[in-house]
């Protein structure tokens, strides 16, 4: 492709020092992330995913507003580096690129190494909910409509299945059946939002454990990142998605399913952190739906992975052909185990709140 190299693009930003490397970094599924190292500082540069977030201007306006708001309140957050000509991102024939300061001395977990790590992340995501409670949501544009509209995600799944453009459905009959046989359980939260029984709040909407940076020395939460999807939503999406990813004994793309289990101790740890942070603000109806939200977010994400596998891997970044199918399998395994432990989850929540 013609156009600038990633190093040349990085030079569009007023970085401190001379660039000596620009390498792929991290395990996000959406944006293409690079670690840019100069002789003085480190930065994160991202090729923004303009197929999922087509309006980069609006997206970056959301992020700048939000990070400014958090920074003004002394909360550590992403710091956007503007281009040399004063723009929040670079746009060229190569695509759209943005730069953040690298938040140093932090770690990101792809799997919860201990219950304490998960409890700490629960506390941080719960507090994030509270910090944003007063954020003027008219400042936030809904950059992706129907993001956690699970019945719509199901319809999208059906259309990928019907098209089956690569003939991959033959490889995943069991997984397809799992989604189809659970489709009557998908609408509870969206219905609650529509009838007003589930309040709309500013939510992060993508609260997996690798979207939070923890301090290397203390293991305390430092910053919540990946703010692309911060939009009006439900607290239940945030709780549920964290459980989906964090209360698993294995990575999201573990190929050996015998290693993948929903761990009720990890659930309890996250629930304690999160619920204590939203105590007094969460409504009884939300409390009652917390266990279901974990199950729903897990099955929703599994259906999205499977739909993307059927559609030829267009939404999620993948490293190999079956990657999305492998991810879908872990999600369905977890969702199945959650279904069988609903009562235990409810008892834990009742005890905390
Ligand atoms: P995606 O939207 O593709 O998930 P993220 O914004 O989550 O991309 O970034 C991918 C990974 O890059 C994160 O999981 C984290 O490891 C790392 N990362 C992103 N931003 C920063 C930052 N400002 N400082 C340190 N690490 C970061
Ligand atoms: C994506 O971008 P990332 O990796 O943090 C996805 C989430 C999914 C998640 C599954 C914008 O998150 O919705 O839950 O993968 N983000 C987007 O791991 O679609
Ligand atoms: Mg991410």
């Amino acid at each position: 492709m013609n156009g600038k190299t990633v190093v040349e693009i990085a030079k569009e930003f007023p970085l401190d020092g001379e660039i000596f490397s620009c390498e792929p970094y991290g395990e996000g599924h959406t944006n293409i992330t690079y670690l840019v190292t100069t002789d003085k500082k480190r930065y994160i540069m991202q090729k923004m995913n303009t197929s999922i977030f087509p309006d980069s201007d609006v997206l970056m306006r959301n992020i700048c507003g939000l990070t400014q708001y958090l920074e003004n309140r002394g909360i550590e957050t992403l710091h956007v580096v503007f281009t040399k000509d004063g723009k929040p991102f670079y746009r060229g024939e190569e695509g759209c690129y943005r730069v953040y300061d690298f938040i140093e001395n932090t770690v990101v977990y792809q799997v919860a190494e201990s219950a304490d790590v998960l409890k700490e992340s629960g506390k941080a995501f719960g507090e994030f909910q509270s910090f944003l409670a007063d954020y003027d949501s008219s400042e936030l544009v809904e950059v992706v409509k129907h993001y956690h509209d699970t019945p719509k995600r199901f319809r999208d799944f059906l259309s990928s299945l019907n098209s089956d453009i690569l003939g991959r459905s033959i490889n995943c009959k069991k997984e397809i059946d799992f989604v189809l046989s659970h489709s009557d359980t998908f609408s509870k939260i969206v219905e609650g939002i529509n009838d007003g029984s589930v309040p709309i709040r500013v939510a992060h909407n993508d609260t997996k454990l690798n979207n939070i940076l923890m301090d290397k020395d203390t293991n305390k939460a430092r910053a919540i990142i990946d703010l692309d999807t911060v939009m009006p939503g439900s607290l239940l999406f945030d709780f549920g998605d964290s459980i989906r990813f964090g209360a698993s004994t294995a990575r999201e793309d573990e190929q050996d399913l015998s290693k993948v289990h929903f761990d009720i101790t990890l659930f309890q740890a996250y629930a304690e952190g999160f619920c204590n942070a939203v105590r007094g603000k969460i409504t009884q109806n939300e409390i009652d739906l917390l266990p279901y939200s974990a199950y729903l977010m897990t099955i929703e994400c599994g259906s999205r992975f499977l739909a993307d596998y059927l559609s030829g891997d267009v939404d999620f970044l993948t490293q190999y052909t079956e990657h999305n199918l492998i991810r879908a399998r872990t999600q369905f395994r977890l969702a199945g185990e959650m279904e069988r432990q609903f009562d235990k989850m409810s008892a834990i929540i009742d005890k905390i709140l």
Side-chain angles (χ1 to χ4, degrees):
M1 196 196 12
N2 292 326
K4 295 187 170 71
T5 64
V6 280
V7 171
E8 285 165 346
I9 293 169
K11 286 184 180 162
E12 295 287 325
F13 296 83
L15 306 187
D16 196 9
E18 288 299 314
I19 298 172
F20 67 79
S21 66
C22 183
E23 305 289 340
Y25 188 79
E27 297 198 27
H29 299 343
T30 306
N31 300 291
I32 301 179
T33 300
Y34 299 90
L35 173 65
V36 181
T37 309
T38 76
D39 53 357
K40 297 209 174 122
K41 253 187 98 163
R42 301 202 291 173
Y43 298 89
I44 286 288
M45 182 167 81
Q46 292 184 318
K47 179 172 190 198
M48 297 156 69
N49 188 324
T50 48
S51 100
I52 292 185
F53 304 106
D55 195 337
S56 304
D57 291 297
V58 164
L59 176 70
M60 288 313 288
R61 208 174 310 134
N62 272 358
I63 290 184
C64 290
L66 199 66
T67 51
Q68 196 59 59
Y69 176 87
L70 294 169
E71 210 172 294
N72 291 346
R73 280 155 187 78
I75 296 157
E76 191 167 10
T77 186
L78 291 170
H79 181 80
V80 179
V81 178
F82 280 53
T83 61
K84 286 176 178 163
D85 50 5
K87 308 230 166 62
F89 67 98
Y90 164 83
R91 191 200 303 265
E93 59 179 297
E94 312 79 6
C96 294
Y97 286 77
R98 66 184 167 205
V99 169
Y100 295 124
D101 282 340
F102 188 89
I103 301 180
E104 295 289 352
N105 206 44
T106 56
V107 278
V108 151
Y109 293 99
Q110 305 302 337
V111 69
E113 285 184 0
S114 70
D116 283 346
V117 162
L118 209 60
K119 184 171 179 177
E120 178 63 17
S121 75
K123 177 169 173 276
F125 279 119
E127 286 172 354
F128 193 72
Q129 270 283 334
S130 302
F131 295 148
L132 295 181
D134 298 328
Y135 191 67
D136 178 3
S137 59
S138 66
E139 295 282 320
L140 275 178
V141 176
E142 206 179 351
V143 281
V144 181
K145 302 251 183 252
H146 304 289
Y147 191 66
H148 282 305
D149 181 341
T150 315
K152 175 169 184 304
R153 294 286 190 186
F154 177 63
R155 292 194 296 277
D156 293 346
F157 166 79
L158 287 182
S159 79
S160 300
L161 177 58
N162 288 335
S163 309
D164 193 17
I165 52 165
L166 298 173
R168 286 179 168 179
S169 66
I170 192 106
N171 307 330
C172 47
K173 291 263 171 269
K174 243 171 64 187
E175 291 75 17
I176 291 167
D177 285 347
F178 186 88
V179 181
L180 296 178
S181 63
H182 286 76
S183 60
D184 58 340
T185 62
F186 290 173
S187 54
K188 238 190 233 175
I189 296 180
V190 167
E191 275 169 13
I193 290 175
N194 291 341
D195 70 21
S197 60
V198 171
I200 301 243
R201 305 172 187 273
V202 176
H204 183 283
N205 288 306
D206 185 5
T207 51
K208 56 181 175 174
L209 190 57
N210 65 13
N211 284 333
I212 180 166
L213 303 177
M214 317 286 269
D215 191 274
K216 247 184 202 156
D217 302 322
T218 63
N219 247 345
K220 295 283 170 214
R222 284 272 299 280
I224 285 175
I225 59 167
D226 205 345
L227 304 174
D228 292 338
T229 51
V230 176
M231 291 182 282
S234 163
L235 161 161
L236 294 163
F237 301 147
D238 283 3
F239 180 85
D241 197 51
S242 287
I243 298 299
R244 169 190 82 71
F245 189 92
S248 171
T249 53
R251 292 174 53 99
E252 192 186 52
D253 59 357
E254 174 57 58
Q255 302 200 10
D256 179 355
L257 276 186
S258 70
K259 293 186 179 152
V260 182
H261 296 290
F262 168 59
D263 184 329
I264 195 83
T265 313
L266 292 174
F267 173 85
Q268 172 158 0
Y270 187 90
E272 281 171 2
F274 186 90
C275 293
N276 284 323
V278 299
R279 186 184 294 284
K281 299 179 190 99
I282 186 169
T283 66
Q284 188 57 49
N285 194 35
E286 287 172 314
I287 295 172
D288 295 342
L289 286 167
L290 287 172
Y292 166 78
S293 75
Y295 158 81
L296 185 70
M297 288 297 98
T298 308
I299 206 161
E300 178 191 281
C301 190
S303 315
R304 288 177 62 198
F305 286 144
L306 192 58
D308 204 34
Y309 174 68
L310 293 168
S311 301
D313 310 311
V314 287
D315 279 346
F316 297 106
L317 296 172
T318 51
Q319 265 86 53
Y320 54 94
T321 314
E322 310 266 282
H323 208 162
N324 272 318
L325 175 57
I326 295 291
R327 289 170 177 152
R329 284 188 180 137
T330 62
Q331 302 309 292
F332 299 148
R333 165 102 180 182
L334 293 168
E337 291 196 2
M338 286 175 191
E339 257 181 309
R340 295 190 282 280
Q341 301 201 49
F342 251 92
D343 292 348
K344 278 193 196 158
M345 287 196 264
S346 299
I348 287 169
I349 299 289
D350 285 351
K351 222 166 155 189
I352 302 171
L353 287 169

